[in-house]
Amino acid sequence: RLPGKNPDEINRYSEEQNTLLALENGLTLPHIIFDVESGIKISEYFDIYTYNEKDFESTELRKNAFEILNKLHSSEIIFLDNFSPYRVFESLADASNGIEENALNVGKEIIEKLNNIGLEQKPCHQDLYSGNFVIYEDKTYLIDWEYSSQGDPYFDLADLFWQNEFEKKNGLKNLALSEIGLIDSDQKEKFFITRTFFVNKQLTLFFNFLQNASLNFAQNFRECSFNLAGSESVEKSKCAKIFAYI
């Protein structure tokens, strides 16, 4: 692996140590060299199958992905502090800009609400796009631990759904929530609030686009921020527009 410019302030020493902890627990594949200065990583060749986004529509492959995640979250691993989604979001947001300031304030409200609900500290991967799930000799592994850190598993689950567009696949979101055991109202509330955090963070990345948007994005987004599973108190059409822009 030849890394880029490390825009998210990744701690490569923590990444290396967390990768070794994941390896000791059978969660990832081994490497030969990891240079903490450059971030260059070299491993032997493994004849692997790499997931793609469509694979999460397969019951078996989705089950295998959930099992490796559950193995991580239920392990006794204690990762070194490496990457906090909110800390990085804070550093990216430009508080002098109205829209980004609104995004930052909504982010703070979301984190405050999650803190009131209760956040756990468990080992998390925090970059769960499809290509970081691989199959080798009929076993599923996670690779690329550069964002790994202690955190709440709900952030991992929200990231998994977000990066692999579970909401856009007919019925997949609710099926997957049931499969991972998020079935009662409190669990779903925490998940959807966490999921909203990822949507809100995109405001900092799409600012130039949103400047030209015809709707009052920041105001409407705030109204949608705590909409849980289609609450009657929020206009669904307005929320649909918000999520369509993201």
Side-chain angles (χ1 to χ4, degrees):
R1 178 193 67 185
L2 298 174
K5 292 184 177 181
N6 199 11
D8 293 323
E9 303 173 358
I10 295 164
N11 184 319
R12 295 297 180 191
Y13 175 77
S14 294
E15 179 194 354
E16 180 193 30
Q17 296 304 306
N18 293 350
T19 301
L20 291 173
L21 288 170
L23 179 61
E24 289 173 7
N25 285 268
L27 297 164
T28 196
L29 296 171
H31 60 270
I32 300 169
I33 296 172
F34 191 116
D35 187 279
V36 296
E37 297 298 324
S38 65
I40 293 173
K41 183 168 67 174
I42 300 172
S43 73
E44 64 180 280
Y45 173 78
F46 293 96
D47 186 13
I48 62 173
Y49 174 79
T50 303
Y51 273 54
N52 61 65
E53 196 176 284
K54 192 170 178 60
D55 285 330
F56 290 105
E57 297 178 40
S58 160
T59 300
E60 181 181 359
L61 293 179
R62 191 172 62 251
K63 175 177 174 286
N64 292 341
F66 292 160
E67 284 180 353
I68 193 71
L69 263 185
N70 183 61
K71 183 178 179 180
L72 168 64
H73 296 152
S74 61
S75 74
E76 296 184 359
I77 294 173
I78 299 178
F79 279 151
L80 296 184
D81 186 34
N82 187 18
F83 181 84
S84 163
Y86 184 69
R87 188 174 66 232
V88 172
F89 175 40
E90 243 185 338
S91 69
L92 288 174
D94 177 7
S96 68
N97 176 278
I99 291 179
E100 294 193 32
E101 182 183 23
N102 268 288
L104 186 57
N105 290 335
V106 171
K108 288 178 179 177
E109 290 176 15
I110 294 170
I111 295 297
E112 182 179 353
K113 189 168 182 66
L114 287 171
N115 280 325
N116 290 335
I117 292 172
L119 290 173
E120 296 184 281
Q121 288 298 307
K122 302 284 187 179
C124 292
H125 185 278
Q126 300 193 138
D127 188 18
L128 293 172
Y129 95 101
S130 59
N132 283 336
F133 291 87
V134 301
I135 299 173
Y136 176 63
E137 295 185 344
D138 298 322
K139 184 177 178 182
T140 302
Y141 295 90
L142 281 165
I143 61 171
D144 193 0
W145 295 83
E146 63 183 351
Y147 293 102
S148 59
S149 194
Q150 293 296 102
D152 192 290
Y154 277 75
F155 277 88
D156 258 358
L157 297 173
D159 182 44
L160 176 70
F161 279 54
W162 166 256
Q163 292 213 55
N164 301 290
E165 299 186 335
F166 278 36
E167 288 88 348
K168 293 185 179 180
K169 300 174 177 68
N170 187 34
L172 180 58
K173 179 188 71 175
N174 290 331
L175 177 61
L177 286 174
S178 175
E179 290 171 342
I180 59 181
L182 302 187
I183 54 177
D184 68 42
S185 58
D186 289 343
Q187 291 172 322
K188 287 184 177 180
E189 178 186 18
K190 184 175 178 180
F191 173 81
F192 284 112
I193 293 173
T194 309
R195 169 69 176 77
T196 301
F197 176 84
F198 284 93
V199 177
N200 181 63
K201 197 165 75 166
Q202 297 310 304
L203 286 169
T204 62
L205 305 177
F206 286 92
F207 168 66
N208 288 332
F209 173 75
L210 295 176
Q211 267 191 314
N212 300 317
S214 60
L215 73 160
N216 185 338
F217 189 93
Q219 179 181 346
N220 288 346
F221 186 87
R222 184 179 297 277
E223 292 179 25
C224 290
S225 289
F226 300 115
N227 177 34
L228 306 174
S231 169
E232 293 298 325
S233 63
V234 181
E235 294 179 41
K236 293 183 182 180
S237 60
K238 184 183 291 183
C239 290
K241 289 180 181 179
I242 296 294
F243 284 87
Y245 273 101
I246 296 296

